[in-house]
Amino acid sequence: MTDTRNTPDAAGGDGGDAFVAAFNAVGADYLFCSSGSEWAPVWESLARRHRDGLPCPRYLDLTHETVAVGMATGYGLIERRPQGVLLHAAPGLLQGSMAVHGALLAGVPMVVASSESTTYGDGPGQDPGGQWYRNLSFVGGPHGVAQPFTKWANEAASVHTLPTMITRAAELSWRAPAGPAYLNIPLEILLEEWDGREAVPVAPPGSTHSSPEEVDLVAQLIREADSPVIVTETAGREAGGFEALLAFAEAWNIPVVEPDSAVCGNFPRTHPLHAGSDIGPWMDEADLILLVNCRAPFYPPSRRPSKARIVVIDEVPQRPHVVHQVLFAERYLEGNVAHTLRQLTKRAKDAHADETAVAAATARRCAQEERHADEQASIAAVEAKAAGAEGIDPVLVAATLRGLLDGRDAIVVDETITHSRVVKRHVQTSDPDSYFYVQGGLGQGIAVALGVKLAARERPVVLTIGDGAFAYNPVIPSYDAAKAYDLPLLIVVFNNRVYKSMNLNHRRFYPEGAAAETGEWLGTDLHRLPRLAQFAEPFGMHTETVDAPHALAPALERALKAVAEGTTAVVDVLVTR
């Protein structure tokens, strides 16, 4: 990373200057800010730097905490480096906490900061304001609030340690398992005089590797296996992980399962070795299961494979933030995942001299190609049925998107629930960093997609979202960010006018209950919502509502054209289920 130590600050300043100098040295591209009164010292420092032509991270003025954190998450999914997020006091931290927790689950590095007062107006210097005394402060400080949903949380108690605390937070957030770190920076610290001491750059994480002996043992297990399978949730999140997994699976001819819990694209869904999203068929068939960045492969957790030996390939297999985790591992390879996969790929050459191993690999490749061909035929049949239906089936929406996005190098961000399997199965993304599933709770999808677009401006970004999830999003602040920072998205709403997953659970738990008898399904009806595309109209965005199959493809084509021309497009598709 470029060393951008802030020598122009040698004359000193205040805590705001220390803050900006630190994030500049850290190498943050952006400060994602949901405004709070504590950030005036930072704003003043940025204004001076802009006036004087000094380097600093780009500042984004955002009008909702979820938008600020979600955009940092989306940006981090692509760039994989820590950025700065500024929230307001403990209430702003609470408002953004779901998105911060989502970043933790997605493994995205960032430094989140907010503030408190330590003097409540009774100390020397400038008056922090009575709001801190009356209603903004929490017992124990906001860093105590942040601890359950961040990787690390602490207080910067001195302006003189503030820059190095920011460096430490960034380094902690970047190292495995990556995730958000939180700093409570009291307003008095931001207003305090700073001596201008040098801010410390962040060094990228060093590499960790499993030993050759450990890798050799796992290679031997693969060589001896008749029916191995790879299961992965986040191999594609690691730098080079997508490509390394593809080479590894091809070298050994091992099928790859991406379970429903997969949070990103890890393997080409069109590849013959892609074995779908259901680990069920392998629970009795597999004799070796390779869990590659897979935090929760079996559900319920006690559901153990009948005969398979289990190897875990993960830099940090036991995730401290996961409440309950069962892997049944016999062996761990805990080095850098992409490096480990490359080492195992090299060892596949040794197996080529073993006729028994070659025969087994050839047989499982043929068997998997037959399964893949059957799956593709099933997909085609389902899509043909959807194309002939009266209304718009969700399958038709996903299949139409696949056709329109072909060759465009698009990125799909998904925040559907009941349609998530449809999106994965029928959109069929096949490239690195081309698919992400929003983590940690509904209501973040537009913001995450905006962050992805910020990091990949040259690529079309499509958000697929349910009507229920759409209603949870801070829509107006998200549209404001899209407009203000020229981040055009295609938003496709799968609108079935119901909280379907909630309704399905009610029916599953009480199949013959009072609701089934009377038809009184509470907590699920969304028919009362207005047309969802209309919320974008005041922002001058392209909007369409579609309720007929023949109108779907033309509407999506017009929307993609609008996005290519720089305008966010919202297509509200009224689906039949």
Side-chain angles (χ1 to χ4, degrees):
M1 181 175 293
T2 302
D3 186 339
T4 53
R5 299 185 188 194
N6 200 11
T7 52
D9 281 324
D14 62 15
D17 296 301
F19 182 98
V20 175
F23 273 102
N24 200 49
V26 160
D29 302 318
Y30 289 94
L31 297 175
F32 299 85
C33 181
S34 174
S35 297
S37 54
E38 65 262 53
W39 299 120
V42 171
W43 297 333
E44 180 63 19
S45 178
L46 289 169
R48 284 196 296 269
R49 285 172 173 268
H50 295 157
R51 180 196 64 193
D52 299 339
L54 298 177
C56 58
R58 185 177 176 189
Y59 173 86
L60 298 186
D61 228 338
L62 305 165
T63 55
H64 196 282
E65 293 85 353
T66 298
V67 177
V69 181
M71 286 186 65
T73 299
Y75 190 84
L77 286 170
I78 299 292
E79 294 295 337
R80 300 177 173 89
R81 293 182 288 106
Q83 308 298 312
V85 179
L86 286 62
L87 305 179
H88 177 42
L93 175 63
L94 288 174
Q95 181 70 48
S97 61
M98 180 185 68
V100 177
H101 181 241
L104 180 67
L105 295 179
V108 174
M110 64 180 68
V111 178
V112 181
S114 72
S115 199
E116 65 176 338
S117 175
T118 54
T119 66
Y120 303 103
D122 278 342
Q126 299 192 57
D127 179 9
Q131 71 273 20
W132 297 97
Y133 179 56
R134 298 186 185 101
N135 65 3
L136 286 183
S137 297
F138 275 44
V139 174
H143 47 293
V145 175
Q147 284 177 351
F149 52 84
T150 57
K151 181 180 176 182
W152 178 83
N154 211 331
E155 177 185 9
S158 167
V159 71
H160 304 298
T161 60
L162 174 58
T164 49
M165 288 288 281
I166 289 173
T167 297
R168 174 167 163 74
E171 289 186 331
L172 282 167
S173 77
W174 203 357
R175 277 141 183 84
Y182 171 80
L183 268 182
N184 166 24
I185 308 173
L187 177 54
E188 287 84 351
I189 301 299
L190 290 169
L191 291 167
E192 190 175 343
E193 184 178 343
W194 175 51
D195 60 12
R197 69 184 62 186
E198 192 172 56
V200 181
V202 167
S207 297
T208 60
H209 304 297
S210 296
S211 71
E213 293 79 12
E214 292 171 319
V215 177
D216 286 340
L217 287 172
V218 172
Q220 183 63 29
L221 291 176
I222 299 172
R223 194 157 38 242
E224 295 170 351
D226 291 322
S227 184
V229 64
I230 298 164
V231 185
T232 183
E233 292 175 333
T234 60
R237 185 184 61 196
E238 313 299 329
F242 188 102
E243 297 87 345
L245 180 60
L246 176 58
F248 169 59
E250 288 184 330
W252 290 93
N253 286 312
I254 305 176
V256 178
V257 173
E258 288 185 286
D260 291 333
S261 52
V263 305
C264 60
N266 303 289
F267 195 82
R269 296 193 70 87
T270 54
H271 195 285
L273 287 173
H274 196 286
S277 60
D278 185 9
I279 194 176
W282 301 94
M283 295 298 283
D284 293 325
E285 178 181 338
D287 56 1
L288 177 65
I289 296 178
L290 300 157
L291 301 179
V292 181
N293 268 26
C294 196
R295 62 189 172 182
F298 312 117
Y299 188 82
S302 60
R303 184 190 183 198
R304 186 168 192 158
S306 61
K307 62 181 180 180
R309 305 175 77 174
I310 298 174
V311 174
V312 171
I313 302 173
D314 195 320
E315 192 165 2
V316 185
Q318 297 295 341
R319 306 291 167 84
H321 61 270
V322 175
V323 176
H324 184 58
Q325 187 181 21
V326 181
L327 299 175
F328 299 118
E330 178 179 320
R331 189 170 296 279
Y332 290 97
L333 292 180
E334 297 188 37
N336 175 273
V337 169
H339 178 81
T340 300
L341 294 175
R342 294 187 194 108
Q343 296 308 305
L344 287 168
T345 299
K346 290 179 181 178
R347 285 159 174 78
K349 297 176 182 177
D350 299 334
H352 295 164
D354 185 332
E355 293 184 3
T356 302
V358 170
T362 302
R364 64 178 173 257
R365 174 76 183 225
C366 292
Q368 175 53 33
E369 287 181 348
E370 289 182 12
R371 283 189 294 262
H372 183 76
D374 291 343
E375 167 66 0
Q376 294 304 305
S378 176
I379 287 173
V382 169
E383 291 179 357
K385 181 179 179 181
E390 283 193 21
I392 302 178
D393 190 282
V395 168
L396 180 63
V397 184
T400 304
L401 275 173
R402 183 185 71 239
L404 292 174
L405 296 178
D406 184 39
R408 293 177 183 258
D409 193 26
I411 303 172
V412 176
V413 177
D414 187 28
E415 196 178 29
T416 61
I417 297 295
T418 54
H419 299 128
S420 61
R421 293 179 183 177
V422 169
V423 171
K424 288 179 183 176
R425 190 183 190 210
H426 295 277
V427 174
Q428 294 191 333
T429 55
S430 297
D431 298 311
D433 291 340
S434 61
Y435 171 84
F436 299 102
Y437 190 77
V438 177
Q439 295 292 291
L442 298 176
Q444 309 169 62
I446 306 177
V448 172
L450 287 170
V452 168
K453 182 66 176 179
L454 184 66
R457 287 183 176 271
E458 73 287 355
R459 299 175 66 182
V461 176
V462 180
L463 172 67
T464 52
I465 187 169
D467 51 326
F470 183 91
Y472 283 129
N473 272 256
V475 174
I476 291 174
S478 298
Y479 287 168
D480 171 66
K483 183 90 170 179
Y485 297 107
D486 190 24
L487 300 171
L489 305 175
L490 170 56
I491 301 174
V492 180
V493 184
F494 286 65
N495 189 346
N496 57 10
R497 283 81 72 200
V498 65
Y499 282 121
K500 190 71 172 181
S501 62
M502 303 179 193
N503 183 255
L504 290 173
N505 270 353
H506 193 158
R507 293 174 184 272
R508 179 163 62 93
F509 296 148
Y510 303 97
E512 298 178 0
E517 180 183 344
T518 65
E520 184 183 8
W521 302 105
L522 301 177
T524 64
D525 185 21
L526 293 176
H527 281 85
R528 65 182 182 271
L529 293 179
R531 291 281 67 86
L532 301 182
Q534 293 177 349
F535 291 98
E537 291 176 0
F539 294 89
M541 295 173 174
H542 180 93
T543 64
E544 305 229 14
T545 299
V546 186
D547 61 1
H550 71 273
L552 177 63
L556 291 174
E557 286 176 347
R558 289 190 294 269
L560 280 169
K561 183 175 184 292
V563 171
E565 294 171 352
T567 302
T568 290
V570 184
V571 182
D572 183 14
V573 185
L574 307 185
V575 294
T576 55
R577 60 184 176 93

